[in-house]
Amino acid sequence: MIFVTHKRRATTITLEERTYGLGMSLHATKAGGGDKVAVGSPVAGGGVVVQVREKKGTLRAAIPTMPFPLAVICLFLNTFIPGLGTFLSAFTVLCGAPSELASQRGRCCVFWLNVAAALIQILTAVIMVGWIMSIFWGMDMVILASCRDHGIPQEV
């Protein structure tokens, strides 16, 4: 069960940002000037949820946004040889593929984070964890690439 608290000030209700166990956070606001809200759905306590956003970990935010065909190749490689597609995607960062962390930490750091993710996938593939992680990583690459090609904001 998710609890959302709110504070009332005249006709404005602002719901606090809360972070929940699975990396999800709720941002909710209700603007002043009546009960009119552009986007949202009612929640307990009279507030309105405007946006639900997944907070990514460092490794997940380091996944580069590649062209769609290259992302599909990385998914294929990750499916049959865990970590190989992720290792290939690390080099796309050095070739200019954008990443959420590239502006904050630099391309070199994002490259090494992707190499670390590939090594984790390779080393834990023996116990199936790395293989499953590798497939999900490849799926995220394809999702990011399709969002890039369709002009959709990059929220995975």
Side-chain angles (χ1 to χ4, degrees), residues 2-102:
I2 297 175
F3 295 100
V4 180
T5 60
H6 65 277
K7 299 175 185 175
R8 288 188 183 263
R9 293 183 189 165
T11 58
T12 303
I13 299 173
T14 303
L15 300 178
E16 301 170 1
E17 178 180 344
R18 288 272 180 110
T19 303
Y20 300 97
L22 298 175
M24 301 292 284
S25 67
L26 294 176
H27 301 276
T29 58
K30 187 172 183 181
D35 293 336
K36 196 172 185 181
V37 177
V39 178
S41 60
V43 294
V48 176
V49 175
V50 176
Q51 179 184 32
V52 178
R53 179 180 50 171
E54 180 182 3
K55 289 190 174 186
K56 297 179 183 179
T58 304
L59 285 178
R60 192 69 114 195
I63 298 175
T65 305
M66 301 174 280
F68 188 78
L70 185 57
V72 171
I73 290 170
C74 287
L75 170 61
F76 181 79
L77 290 173
N78 273 348
T79 301
F80 295 105
I81 306 169
L84 185 60
T86 306
F87 189 71
L88 176 65
S89 74
F91 288 97
T92 65
V93 173
L94 295 178
C95 294
S99 171
E100 290 182 24
L101 282 181

Side-chain angles (χ1 to χ4, degrees), residues 82-139:
L84 185 60
T86 306
F87 189 71
L88 176 65
S89 74
F91 288 97
T92 65
V93 173
L94 295 178
C95 294
S99 171
E100 290 182 24
L101 282 181
S103 62
Q104 298 170 0
R105 296 201 177 184
R107 292 204 178 276
C108 189
C109 180
V110 173
F111 167 77
W112 287 111
L113 285 170
N114 278 292
V115 169
L119 289 175
I120 291 169
Q121 292 168 7
I122 292 167
L123 294 175
T124 59
V126 177
I127 56 173
M128 299 291 287
V129 173
W131 183 62
I132 294 168
M133 177 185 173
S134 184
I135 292 171
F136 279 113
W137 222 258
M139 289 170 37

